[in-house]
Amino acid sequence: MANISTVLIVRFFLVFIAVLLISACAKKAPPASTSPNSATAAEDTTTPNKMTASKLWNRMGKRLTFIQEGHHGPIIYDFTDTNCPYCHLIYVTEADLIREGKLTVRYVPVAIIKPSSMPEAAAILQEGNPIAALQHAEQEIGNSMTSGKPANLPQATDAIGAATQKTITAIKKIEENNKFLQEIDVNELPDIIYLPKKGKLGLITGFVSQKQLLALLPELQQ
């Protein structure tokens, strides 16, 4: 009986830890700033939920600010926050498919989980080579998850009066990305949005394995 009780206690503890890890990425998007949005966002005032799949997909390409990796295979949008561990795991999952020319990923930086998310995302986006900046950040995040030490990520200064115009522009773009998630009623990370050959846009919230992505590829528009 004592052994059974010990097993039950251990199982309960493991489930509790798993719930804590999952909830770390389940954050509601903060209210959008009142700062002016980009011109492309103002072109169409129709709410995303009322758009056709193709119209919303085309609008996403114009409205969202993203960092694209890959130029072959179907395109997916991956909404990512530097403080979301599952976002990093999906990044690693997608990397092989991108290198093999099977997938193109548009990484959409958002700032939802922690106060440091915005200056970290802005630092990546304002770099002259944002792809290299994103890859470096993901490497640092991976090292942090392995070592247990905080990730050493650059942060753009967003203090009043201290931010450069480049940083201010980057922050506005990230706020617009945040706002898009609000408009489609998505309050958790990570998120992948894809365009299937038939039907509505697809949404995957939470971790997705490489096996799942491979199974999805034939269903996507090229």
Side-chain angles (χ1 to χ4, degrees):
M1 184 66 69
N3 290 337
I4 294 175
S5 299
T6 301
V7 171
L8 290 175
I9 291 171
V10 171
R11 286 183 178 178
F12 175 80
F13 178 75
L14 291 175
V15 171
F16 178 72
I17 293 298
V19 170
L20 288 179
L21 286 172
I22 292 171
S23 63
C25 286
K27 299 289 184 178
K28 290 187 176 181
S33 167
T34 55
S35 59
N37 296 323
S38 64
T40 54
E43 289 176 359
D44 192 340
T45 57
T46 307
T47 57
N49 286 332
K50 295 181 180 179
M51 293 183 181
T52 62
S54 59
K55 187 173 183 180
L56 177 54
W57 186 258
N58 290 335
R59 188 186 181 196
M60 286 171 61
K62 296 177 181 179
R63 175 180 178 181
L64 297 175
T65 297
F66 53 84
I67 301 169
Q68 180 170 314
E69 289 203 45
H71 299 282
H72 303 284
I75 295 171
I76 63 172
Y77 286 85
D78 185 344
F79 292 78
T80 181
D81 187 305
T82 53
N83 286 289
C84 169
Y86 286 113
C87 294
H88 170 72
L89 294 178
I90 290 180
Y91 180 89
V92 174
T93 296
E94 294 163 338
D96 288 340
L97 299 180
I98 294 172
R99 282 193 294 267
E100 293 169 5
K102 296 178 180 178
L103 182 68
T104 296
V105 182
R106 291 179 173 177
Y107 292 101
V108 183
V110 294
I112 294 174
I113 295 178
K114 291 184 179 180
S116 62
S117 296
M118 180 61 82
E120 288 170 357
I124 293 171
L125 203 58
Q126 71 181 25
E127 279 292 327
N129 187 343
I131 295 178
L134 175 63
Q135 292 171 343
H136 174 73
E138 293 295 342
Q139 183 176 6
E140 288 295 322
I141 294 168
N143 293 340
S144 171
M145 292 175 67
T146 301
S147 66
K149 298 178 181 179
N152 184 24
L153 299 183
Q155 294 190 13
T157 302
D158 58 354
I160 296 176
T164 64
Q165 185 57 50
K166 185 184 292 185
T167 298
I168 293 172
T169 300
I171 289 174
K172 287 181 179 180
K173 291 178 178 179
I174 296 163
E175 287 176 339
E176 187 64 28
N177 291 345
N178 289 351
K179 184 179 177 182
F180 178 82
L181 284 183
Q182 285 184 311
E183 291 176 0
I184 61 173
D185 298 324
V186 173
N187 299 315
E188 298 179 3
L189 290 173
D191 299 299
I192 291 175
I193 295 180
Y194 59 89
L195 181 63
K197 294 177 179 177
K198 296 180 181 180
K200 299 179 180 179
L201 290 188
L203 169 66
I204 300 174
T205 296
F207 179 72
V208 57
S209 68
Q210 191 173 97
K211 182 179 180 180
Q212 289 172 308
L213 281 177
L214 281 170
L216 182 65
L217 292 181
E219 307 299 324
L220 305 183
Q221 287 195 29
Q222 295 291 327

